[in-house]
Amino acid sequence: MGLRSATSRIYRGEISADIVGRPRIWATISGLLLVLSLAGLLVQGLNFGVEFKGGSVFTFKSSASIEEVRGAVAGGGAHQVIVQKAGGDWRVTTESLTSAHVTEIKSHVSQELDVPADKISTQVVGASWGGEIQEKAWQALVVFMILIIAYLSVAFEWRMAVAAVVALVHDLVITAGIYAWSGFEVTPATLLGFLTILGYSLYDAVVVFDMIKEVTKPLSATSKTTYSEAANQALSSTLVRSLNTSLVAILPVGAILFIGTTLFGAGTLKDLSLALFVGMIVGTYSSICVATPLLVQFKEREPKYKQIRANIARREQSSKRQAKTAKVKAATAGGPGDAPEDEPSGGSSGEGPDEQSDIRSTVTVKKVVQTGPRQQPKRGTRQKRRGGGSGSGSGGK
């Protein structure tokens, strides 16, 4: 019951995590991820596919093992042999070969693996074509970034555009680094995945920025909320929506990556699904924990929001001072049983409350308890008292 209540309160935005107020934590996490990713790019490097670096591709069906396939192709004279299982077919990539060398390898594979030569398909890709693809990919990325900056600057402001671009570069570097560590081959499908995660990360950031713009618009010099607090409130309102959207998108991509590639051998799809899977997770994190805190850091430096923070601090300081003054007055004021000011009790008129308290603190009061029999006069019996009373009454008459 408690968990359900807490979940419903989170969905209604009644419980908010202080995400904006902890920029150092997110900066540390992002820094570690970036260092790990850059290390992967520098040490491991990206495994570019034949579409980028050029080469020859042999595709055929066979029941042979991966070692037998590699040996058959290498025995034909190929040196850089990469064997992959794509569904029920073997896909073997080698360095760029001449037509005569390709024919020789086909003949050798046909003899070694008992595969008809006409069932072995070949494809020769030149390095110039791969270089052209890389150039087009960089051009698309630059145009994409320019359009993003222009749109966000017009729809929101340049600070939001800068924060969004920093988050996008953050996502690209981390995704590329994880791709390098995984050893997956970079193909044109990988580039499509990279461009897709940029759009996805941008969508999430725009949703958060739009809510922040709406919440922070009424802020003025007399506001009781700083820009950071208002932005954190807006982020908390969209947090569950962002997480739900990301989860719904990640589940099918994860199914393609982990189930499709292991059970069904979806060779080309694994390149796309890995980029999407990593990019969606990192994009959700960056829009919440990178773009928004960075935007708040920019906005808090504006004179308007600096003045709001200063006014709030001044009012809080004044309230604390008033509360402290009231507490001192209550401690020094007399109680209901105290004597008037002109006739102080417990001392001469020259003694003040502090002096009286000092005197009382130096005097030791001891309570004496009687331990023996109580010595009191005897009052006589009831009959004597009655007789005495009547005698006195008769004498009076």
Side-chain angles (χ1 to χ4, degrees):
M1 194 68 178
L3 180 60
R4 181 181 301 178
S5 176
T7 304
S8 61
R9 291 180 63 189
I10 292 175
Y11 269 85
R12 292 195 300 267
E14 298 177 2
I15 299 179
S16 60
D18 189 12
I19 297 176
V20 174
R22 295 180 171 86
R24 293 185 179 180
I25 296 178
W26 314 125
T28 302
I29 295 175
S30 297
L32 293 175
L33 291 175
L34 289 173
V35 169
L36 181 64
S37 301
L38 291 175
L41 292 173
L42 295 176
V43 176
Q44 189 77 7
L46 291 173
N47 180 23
F48 287 99
V50 65
E51 294 86 356
F52 293 99
K53 62 183 180 181
S56 302
V57 181
F58 300 87
T59 306
F60 53 88
K61 289 182 178 293
S62 176
S63 58
S65 64
I66 186 172
E67 296 297 333
E68 292 174 344
V69 172
R70 182 181 291 109
V73 176
H79 301 291
Q80 301 175 6
V81 181
I82 301 175
V83 182
Q84 293 177 318
K85 186 74 172 179
D89 297 339
W90 289 106
R91 185 175 185 269
V92 184
T93 305
T94 66
E95 69 276 11
S96 296
L97 303 172
T98 61
S99 299
H101 205 173
V102 169
T103 303
E104 182 180 349
I105 291 178
K106 285 180 63 176
S107 176
H108 191 271
V109 170
S110 177
Q111 295 176 1
E112 292 291 329
L113 302 180
D114 195 17
V115 178
D118 57 347
K119 297 295 182 180
I120 303 176
S121 62
T122 59
Q123 180 184 8
V124 179
V125 181
S128 59
W129 188 74
E132 185 179 350
I133 289 181
Q134 293 186 44
E135 183 180 356
K136 296 295 184 182
W138 283 113
Q139 291 177 358
L141 181 61
V142 171
V143 172
F144 183 81
M145 290 294 185
I146 293 175
L147 292 177
I148 287 174
I149 295 174
Y151 167 74
L152 292 179
S153 299
V154 173
F156 299 99
E157 57 176 307
W158 67 268
R159 295 174 183 83
M160 291 186 177
V162 172
V165 170
V166 170
L168 292 180
V169 174
H170 169 276
D171 300 343
L172 276 177
V173 173
I174 293 178
T175 305
I178 295 178
Y179 218 95
W181 284 116
S182 67
F184 276 35
E185 195 175 45
V186 179
T187 63
T190 306
L191 294 182
L192 294 177
F194 273 62
L195 294 177
T196 304
I197 65 174
L198 291 180
Y200 182 85
S201 178
L202 178 64
Y203 161 77
D204 214 14
V206 167
V207 170
V208 176
F209 287 170
D210 185 64
M211 180 61 70
I212 291 176
K213 180 181 178 181
E214 181 180 349
V215 172
T216 58
K217 187 176 181 180
L219 294 181
S220 61
T222 59
S223 299
K224 299 181 180 180
T225 304
T226 63
Y227 188 92
S228 299
E229 295 171 348
N232 193 77
Q233 179 184 355
L235 183 59
S236 300
S237 301
T238 60
L239 180 61
V240 175
R241 174 183 175 182
S242 299
L243 294 178
N244 285 342
T245 304
S246 302
L247 182 62
V248 171
I250 289 171
L251 285 178
V253 175
I256 296 174
L257 177 61
F258 297 107
I259 299 177
T261 57
T262 56
L263 297 181
F264 304 106
T268 306
L269 289 179
K270 74 176 183 180
D271 305 331
L272 174 64
S273 59
L274 178 62
L276 291 177
F277 184 78
V278 176
M280 286 181 177
I281 296 176
V282 178
T284 303
Y285 162 78
S286 66
S287 62
I288 296 173
C289 301
V290 176
T292 305
L294 184 59
L295 171 65
V296 171
Q297 296 296 320
F298 289 154
K299 297 294 289 184
E300 285 288 358
R301 298 176 182 177
E302 293 185 16
K304 174 183 176 181
Y305 299 112
K306 289 174 67 175
Q307 185 63 36
I308 292 176
R309 180 173 289 276
N311 293 340
I312 293 175
R314 191 180 303 112
R315 287 194 295 266
E316 290 180 353
Q317 187 67 23
S318 177
S319 301
K320 291 180 180 179
R321 190 182 300 111
Q322 292 176 3
K324 185 176 181 180
T325 304
K327 186 176 181 181
V328 171
K329 288 181 178 180
T332 57
D338 291 343
E341 294 182 0
D342 54 347
E343 297 180 1
S345 61
S348 63
S349 58
E351 294 179 352
D354 295 336
E355 295 177 357
Q356 295 177 14
S357 61
D358 293 339
I359 294 173
R360 286 195 297 267
S361 63
T362 58
V363 176
T364 302
V365 180
K366 293 184 178 181
K367 185 176 181 180
V368 179
V369 181
Q370 183 177 357
T371 57
R374 301 177 62 183
Q375 301 294 333
Q376 294 182 355
K378 296 182 179 181
R379 302 176 60 184
T381 62
R382 184 180 300 177
Q383 183 176 2
K384 289 182 179 182
R385 289 199 301 272
R386 289 180 178 177
S390 60
S392 62
S394 61
K397 291 181 180 177

